[in-house]
Amino acid sequence: MNSVLHQAAHGVRFDWGPVGGAAVAEGADVAVVVDVLSFSTSLSVAADLGIVVLPYPWEAEDAPTYAAQHRAVLALGRSVAGPGEVSLSPVSVRAAEPMERLVLPSPNGSAISVQLASVVTTVVGASLRNAAAVADWIAREHDAETASIAIVAAGERWPDGSLRPAIEDLWGAGAVLAALEDHDWPGLSPEAAMAADAYRLIAGREESHLMACASGQELVGAGFAADVAVAAEVGTSTTVPLLSDRGFIAAP
C-alpha cells in the first residue's frame, strides 16, 4: 500500500471499513470506530447501563462458546431474536433484563473493533449519542500536539461483500471530528475535515436524515424504526466505551 494512504502526515485521520481503518490506524494512539446503525449505538446504550460489551466477528460459529466462557449474554441477529432477547438492536439492549456482559457481534463495527485492538493501544466506540463525549475525552486525555487519532467509519456491505460507504457513519465520524475542531484540535487531514463538514451540514436534523438515508430506510422497512430513533439521540450519552482485554468498558 502506498504510504501516503495512511495519512500519517496528519494528526487526525479518517477512512472507511476494515482496510481503510487499518491504514489510518497504523501508528495511531487512538482509533475511534463509528457504526451508527447499529453497533456503536447499541454499544453506547449498553455502556450507559454499565454493561461490558465484548465485540466479536459476525456469524462466528464459536460465538455461543465464547459467550459461555465469559459468562455473557450473546446478542442474536435482529431477524431471529424473539421477544425479550437481545440483538444488535439498541432498543433490545435497553429493554433487556439486567446483565453484566454482552457479546455483541456485528459484520462491521464489532469486527473492525476486534481487528484494530491488535494494532492500536486504545480503541473507542462512538455514535451520534456520544460523539461529543468521545471528543471531550480525547481532548482531556491526549496532547493535541503529539497524539495521533484515527476515526474509522465502519460502513456497510454490498451483497458481494464489498464495502458500501454508509452516510450515517460519515455523519457519526464527522460529529466526533467537528467536536474535536471545537476544541481547536489541529492537524485534521483533508479526509477528516471533509467528514466534519458533512456532519455540520445536517446538524440539528439528524433524525430526519437518518430515517431517510438508505440504511435507515432498510431498518424502517424491516420494522426497526425505533432503532433509528435511538441512533438519533444526539449528545444524550456522556459515556466513552474503551476497549480493554475485558471488553468495552466505560472510561472513568
Side-chain angles (χ1 to χ4, degrees):
M1 181 183 292
N2 190 318
S3 61
V4 299
L5 300 179
H6 297 281
Q7 301 175 35
H10 305 280
V12 183
R13 314 156 190 169
F14 167 78
D15 217 298
W16 289 91
V19 177
V24 295
E26 184 173 311
D29 298 296
V30 179
V32 180
V33 178
V34 182
D35 185 355
V36 170
L37 296 174
S38 295
F39 172 75
S40 56
T41 294
S42 296
L43 170 62
S44 70
V45 169
D48 286 346
L49 296 170
I51 300 168
V52 175
V53 173
L54 291 80
Y56 212 66
W58 184 245
E59 296 182 338
E61 293 183 358
D62 63 343
T65 301
Y66 179 81
Q69 289 172 342
H70 289 81
R71 299 194 299 274
V73 173
L74 174 61
L76 306 175
R78 277 191 181 93
S79 61
V80 299
E85 292 184 311
V86 182
S87 72
L88 193 56
S89 158
V91 170
S92 76
V93 176
R94 183 173 281 170
E97 294 293 326
M99 69 186 93
E100 293 185 10
R101 287 174 290 277
L102 174 66
V103 176
L104 189 61
S106 86
N108 301 300
S110 188
I112 291 169
S113 297
V114 172
Q115 169 194 324
L116 294 183
S118 64
V119 297
V120 181
T121 302
T122 304
V123 176
V124 181
S127 66
L128 288 167
R129 297 184 74 251
N130 69 339
V134 169
D136 291 347
W137 177 84
I138 291 172
R140 183 173 66 249
E141 299 292 332
H142 295 81
D143 185 339
E145 298 302 324
T146 60
S148 55
I149 312 298
I151 312 291
V152 182
E156 296 289 342
R157 294 285 166 182
W158 290 109
D160 67 357
S162 61
L163 174 70
R164 177 173 72 82
I167 197 167
E168 69 274 7
D169 294 341
L170 177 64
W171 294 329
V176 177
L177 289 158
L180 278 177
E181 287 189 321
D182 290 342
H183 282 285
D184 294 323
W185 197 279
L188 272 67
S189 69
E191 291 84 354
M194 176 277 300
D197 289 345
Y199 172 68
R200 288 194 180 92
L201 287 172
I202 62 100
R205 299 174 292 155
E206 291 91 344
E207 183 166 3
S208 63
H209 279 65
L210 284 174
M211 289 288 183
C213 73
S215 300
Q217 284 289 291
E218 184 177 36
L219 287 175
V220 170
F224 295 103
D227 285 344
V228 185
V230 175
E233 294 173 351
V234 178
T236 58
S237 174
T238 59
T239 307
V240 178
L242 305 181
L243 185 55
S244 72
D245 56 3
R246 294 172 50 210
F248 276 105
I249 300 172

